[in-house]
Amino acid sequence: MAVSRSLWLQSPPRNYYPPLQGDINTDVCVIGGGITGLTTALLLREAGIDVTLIEAREIASGTTGHTTAKITSQHDLIYHTLITRFGHEMAAQYANAQQTAIQEIAAMVERHNIECNFERQNAYQFTEDPKDNRALERECQAALCLGLPAQIIDKTKLDSLNLPFRPNHALCYTDQAQFDPVAYTRALAQAFCGLGGRLFEQTRAQDIMAGEVVHNTGRIFATHIIVASHFPLRNVPGWYFARQYAHRSYVIAVHGTEPFAGMWLSTKKNGKSFRRHNNLLLIGGADHKTGHQHRKPHYDLLRKSIGTLYPNSREVARWSAQDGITGDSIPYVGSYSSLLPGVWVATGFAKWGMTNSMASSIILRDTILERENPWMDIFSPKRPTTMNAAWISLGRVASTAANYTTWPLTKRPVCTHLGCRTRYEAEDGTWECPCHGSRFDAAGVPLDGPAVKNLDPASLSLEQLYGLPEERPIL
């Protein structure tokens, strides 16, 4: 059986960056060494801004290194909903941001000569149930109305594509892309440092305030602070932990499958995602809210599908990731809070981080350079429907509130974010918080925020020594 390690992270980095010791001054401090943080840092450095970036672990080791890396404006069936909820003008902002992001990533690859297996592919959303054909056609009309390269593919043409599944209908977005996200992000880091940017790994931000970041060995004083740490680390002001929820998904890479073109996503609830990388097939799915596991192991759910489609294939890698999902599925990009002037945020990418990372970086660059940006309204954390979206998110978060008191106080380590009882997830060897999505490795070190402090080692040793009874969080 394959090791639970991302395909993208199996090659060691060529460069390691030192931890920051003590205090430092900079114009802009970027928190987070994933694709969003490094893209933003590089764009600002190219504009001549003094930028310092800090990463709690190693660059690209978080969600960036655990994505399926589809670079596409096809974000599930979203555009009809956006037009209905926000109107044509704001929906068009989101669509244009995604298409522009694809072109900007392609330009970045060419400008810095990045070897990351970047290749153009069509993106397809498909259904095997004719009852869903109308939804795809409605989404196609919305996408075309917003200027996206969408078209419907009927069953006759689909049958000729040598696919491992049998779609009845599909919505195709042409000239999208895919790549190796870690090779790309590591190259961004090299380009950033080559232009004089300062990059520090193993430097965890512990608190933020206007003009100042507290990290593990000192402070960073900055005119602007960009929180690109996937999940914002400060609770108040901002309340981002209550305005989005964390959702996990799983991926298995297999060898010994028949080649096919395109990136594919099912419309079915808990449907599968398919794309190829070199001679491997990547199958994703088995989604769930973080800390709310299915009784059957998630990788086994994917293996069952793989066994049906390709009984003679061989598993070579498996991994999982999570992302924040806002109440309206649109990221929050802009001012962290009016009470924190000069602090900016990018979060809630809803599993579409490749294009949203670039769009966010462009917005944040333009904001700091005091330029106009055409997408700021739809991405703004203060957009008009944010309160409605907050109630949706709060409803999801509130469903886990009983986890604070239901489990016996003598069992399970307490999350260092807000004190919820964590659950051990044996598949990836992690502790997960069902309330706000924090994750910790087996030693209790944070992997995903909003928690920034380690679990109590005494509680970990006791739990691992005596074992854990099978308990499920309240759904």
Side-chain angles (χ1 to χ4, degrees), residues 359-373:
S360 299
S361 299
I362 293 171
I363 291 171
L364 293 172
R365 177 202 62 190
D366 290 349
T367 300
I368 289 174
L369 296 179
E370 298 182 351
R371 299 175 180 172
E372 289 294 322
N373 184 283

Side-chain angles (χ1 to χ4, degrees), residues 299-325:
Y299 293 115
D300 284 352
L301 294 173
L302 294 179
R303 290 184 186 111
K304 182 178 180 181
S305 297
I306 294 168
T308 301
L309 297 172
Y310 292 109
N312 297 319
S313 63
R314 177 173 57 88
E315 181 178 331
V316 298
R318 60 186 173 96
W319 66 94
S320 63
Q322 73 183 41
D323 209 352
I325 300 180

Side-chain angles (χ1 to χ4, degrees), residues 208-446:
I208 53 174
M209 53 203 79
E212 187 175 336
V213 177
V214 179
H215 64 92
N216 25 4
T217 65
R219 297 172 184 270
I220 302 170
F221 301 98
T223 306
H224 297 279
I225 297 165
I226 295 172
V227 182
S229 56
H230 185 241
F231 211 111
L233 57 99
R234 180 160 180 170
N235 292 333
V236 181
W239 298 90
Y240 290 98
F241 74 93
R243 296 166 65 186
Q244 60 181 328
Y245 64 97
H247 212 252
R248 294 197 64 71
S249 56
Y250 299 77
V251 185
I252 291 180
V254 295
H255 186 272
T257 62
E258 296 297 322
F260 61 86
M263 307 174 292
W264 297 79
L265 176 66
S266 173
T267 59
K268 188 187 301 183
K269 184 179 181 180
N270 296 323
K272 305 298 186 297
S273 165
F274 302 84
R275 66 153 285 197
R276 297 193 64 82
H277 173 70
N278 296 331
N279 62 342
L280 300 177
L281 173 64
L282 280 53
I283 301 182
D287 299 12
H288 66 87
K289 187 179 176 185
T290 302
H292 295 247
Q293 283 81 359
H294 192 280
R295 289 188 182 276
K296 188 171 183 178
H298 303 91
Y299 293 115
D300 284 352
L301 294 173
L302 294 179
R303 290 184 186 111
K304 182 178 180 181
S305 297
I306 294 168
T308 301
L309 297 172
Y310 292 109
N312 297 319
S313 63
R314 177 173 57 88
E315 181 178 331
V316 298
R318 60 186 173 96
W319 66 94
S320 63
Q322 73 183 41
D323 209 352
I325 300 180
T326 68
D328 54 17
S329 297
I330 306 299
Y332 296 130
V333 183
S335 173
Y336 198 100
S337 167
S338 59
L339 299 178
L340 288 175
V343 181
W344 314 95
V345 68
T347 190
F349 290 171
K351 302 185 181 181
W352 298 109
M354 299 300 95
T355 50
N356 273 318
S357 63
M358 177 59 80
S360 299
S361 299
I362 293 171
I363 291 171
L364 293 172
R365 177 202 62 190
D366 290 349
T367 300
I368 289 174
L369 296 179
E370 298 182 351
R371 299 175 180 172
E372 289 294 322
N373 184 283
W375 316 320
M376 295 176 72
D377 291 342
I378 188 65
F379 285 92
S380 172
K382 300 178 182 179
R383 56 184 173 266
T385 59
T386 291
M387 288 307 299
N388 292 335
W391 283 113
I392 296 172
S393 292
L394 282 169
R396 296 182 184 273
V397 171
S399 70
T400 68
N403 286 295
Y404 286 104
T405 57
T406 299
W407 293 338
L409 295 179
T410 56
K411 296 176 181 177
R412 305 195 186 281
V414 173
C415 179
T416 54
H417 173 230
L418 288 177
C420 185
R421 296 283 161 175
T422 61
R423 181 186 189 275
Y424 189 70
E425 202 280 289
E427 287 185 283
D428 288 325
T430 55
W431 297 93
E432 298 186 358
C433 175
C435 293
H436 305 112
S438 295
R439 293 176 67 246
F440 308 81
D441 67 17
V445 178

Side-chain angles (χ1 to χ4, degrees), residues 76-77 124-133 135-136 165-167 169 264-274 284-287 305:
D76 213 332
L77 302 181
Y124 300 84
Q125 187 149 19
F126 71 93
T127 179
E128 296 171 281
D129 186 348
K131 294 179 181 178
D132 292 334
N133 290 1
L136 290 174
F165 37 87
R166 292 292 176 264
H169 218 56
W264 297 79
L265 176 66
S266 173
T267 59
K268 188 187 301 183
K269 184 179 181 180
N270 296 323
K272 305 298 186 297
S273 165
F274 302 84
D287 299 12
S305 297

